[in-house]
Amino acid sequence: MLVSRLLDLGDLATMGNLKRGIALTWAKALNADKLPGEQYTGPRGDPGLFGPKSVMWYVHDDPSGVVGGVMGLILGSLHEPTMHGTNKHSVYKDDPLGRLGRTVSFVNTMCWASTPVAEKMAQTVRRMHKHVHGTMPDGRPYDASSSEHLTWTGVTQAHGIIQAHLRYHPHPVSKAEVDRYYAEYAVITEMLGASDVPKTAADVDAYFEEMRPQLTYSEETADVVRFFTGPIGKTPVARAGSKLLNKAAFDLLPPFAKRLYRLPDNLIDQAITRQSLRVLLQMLRDAVGDSPIKTQALERATARPEVLSQTG
């Protein structure tokens, strides 16, 4: 693997440049596009929807979450009506990094922002969803505002992020906290208009079992595969890092999804991918440090609320 070879160079100056290059590439990928209204500073004393002691904050305060987010997109693409609606009403095929950036922007805002900012963001996305509906060529309807669509998109994202956390975080959460994470993420999905969203790991397993007959590998799914199996970026570091991240995202898929994608079951390649990504993620933790978003959110949440003075 390229990452392993780079780590064997032993040149501290090169290592410093590599870390800076990875951090810059990471930041560019996650900020390819943003949704309006994203901010984390006010009002003072507002913990947001979840707050500093939530599982949500702990899980999302780590670069492994992005691997899970990509897995969620890949898994979500197996639901053909959802994928058709995405392609029909967005520039996803032409700008997949932009879609990833907007997804990250939305999730970050709902996770870290104050309550009024998160509520406004949910309203913004609900308005956007109202324009995404229609009929597929085979007669099946699709509607981004439907509870079925919202639940599928929300659950696949939540599942991807928590599975990446469990595999790659140096100090992963407990089984009880996994259930708490699913319940917290369900708050976001329900704010978009979904109902009866799975809220525990057992609920999610049962939901996937129920959804499996509706999942298929379609031509539109193949477009996702073509994008995520190729290198992304203009520099060798960016292209190597992105290819490894995407390969790890496919490896993170549940067994039923791997079968639909017809992924080979190569244990040696699997072990190399996982160990290489652990090295890359630790480099990212060292290079990036504390997220400015987390810093702003924590300062806001722990600040004393502003008290308006009363004069008589």
Side-chain angles (χ1 to χ4, degrees):
M1 300 294 291
L2 177 58
V3 172
S4 300
R5 295 204 302 273
L6 288 170
L7 291 177
D8 289 338
L9 290 175
D11 186 327
L12 292 180
T14 301
M15 180 65 76
N17 291 334
L18 176 61
K19 286 185 177 181
R20 284 191 293 274
I22 290 173
L24 182 61
T25 300
W26 190 262
K28 284 183 176 179
L30 299 189
N31 292 281
D33 200 359
K34 288 188 175 185
L35 293 171
E38 180 183 353
Q39 68 96 355
Y40 304 94
T41 55
R44 292 166 57 88
D46 188 322
L49 299 177
F50 308 105
K53 294 183 179 181
S54 65
V55 181
M56 179 74 70
W57 276 35
Y58 181 75
V59 169
H60 286 244
D61 183 30
D62 190 74
S64 60
V66 176
V67 184
V70 173
M71 187 272 254
L73 291 175
I74 296 169
L75 177 57
S77 299
L78 290 171
H79 189 249
E80 196 173 4
T82 298
M83 199 65 221
H84 183 82
T86 299
N87 287 343
K88 190 76 173 178
H89 295 268
S90 74
V91 293
Y92 171 66
K93 291 178 69 173
D94 301 320
D95 183 24
L97 272 183
R99 187 202 174 193
L100 178 61
R102 290 186 291 276
T103 300
V104 170
S105 176
F106 169 74
V107 173
N108 278 343
T109 302
M110 302 303 288
C111 173
W112 300 100
S114 64
T115 304
V117 171
E119 289 173 341
K120 188 173 182 179
M121 177 63 76
Q123 292 169 3
T124 297
V125 173
R126 290 184 76 155
R127 285 195 298 269
M128 294 167 60
H129 283 169
K130 287 182 179 179
H131 302 285
V132 183
H133 58 85
T135 304
M136 296 176 58
D138 62 8
R140 284 180 293 169
Y142 63 89
D143 185 351
S145 296
S146 70
S147 181
E148 292 81 4
H149 169 96
L150 294 166
T151 299
W152 174 250
T153 303
V155 170
T156 51
Q157 277 296 303
H159 184 68
I161 292 169
I162 196 63
Q163 292 306 311
H165 170 87
L166 292 172
R167 180 172 294 175
Y168 291 112
H169 197 287
H171 305 288
V173 299
S174 67
K175 289 181 67 174
E177 288 169 323
V178 170
D179 286 345
R180 279 182 56 197
Y181 178 78
Y182 279 123
E184 289 174 1
Y185 204 103
V187 171
I188 299 174
T189 307
E190 289 173 346
M191 287 179 69
L192 293 179
S195 59
D196 299 322
V197 180
K199 294 182 174 66
T200 67
D203 289 345
V204 170
D205 288 344
Y207 172 72
F208 282 147
E209 188 68 27
E210 178 185 328
M211 288 295 295
R212 282 171 64 176
Q214 302 180 42
L215 306 181
T216 184
Y217 184 92
S218 66
E219 181 56 38
E220 289 173 311
T221 309
D223 290 334
V224 175
V225 174
R226 280 190 284 270
F227 175 75
F228 282 116
T229 52
I232 304 167
K234 297 180 180 180
T235 68
V237 169
R239 293 167 71 83
S242 67
K243 195 163 186 177
L244 174 59
L245 185 152
N246 293 338
K247 191 171 184 179
F250 276 99
D251 174 52
L252 200 62
L253 287 166
F256 71 84
K258 286 184 176 180
R259 288 192 292 270
L260 286 171
Y261 275 109
R262 298 178 183 174
L263 298 179
D265 190 16
N266 187 322
L267 295 180
I268 295 176
D269 187 57
Q270 185 182 84
I272 292 173
T273 296
R274 294 179 185 183
Q275 184 54 37
S276 298
L277 187 67
R278 288 188 180 98
V279 172
L280 177 60
L281 289 174
Q282 191 54 53
M283 290 177 66
L284 282 166
R285 294 182 188 107
D286 295 340
V288 175
D290 284 339
S291 159
I293 292 175
K294 177 194 174 183
T295 301
Q296 293 175 22
L298 189 59
E299 289 176 354
R300 181 203 73 240
T302 57
R304 297 183 64 177
E306 294 179 358
V307 178
L308 296 177
S309 61
Q310 296 182 354
T311 58

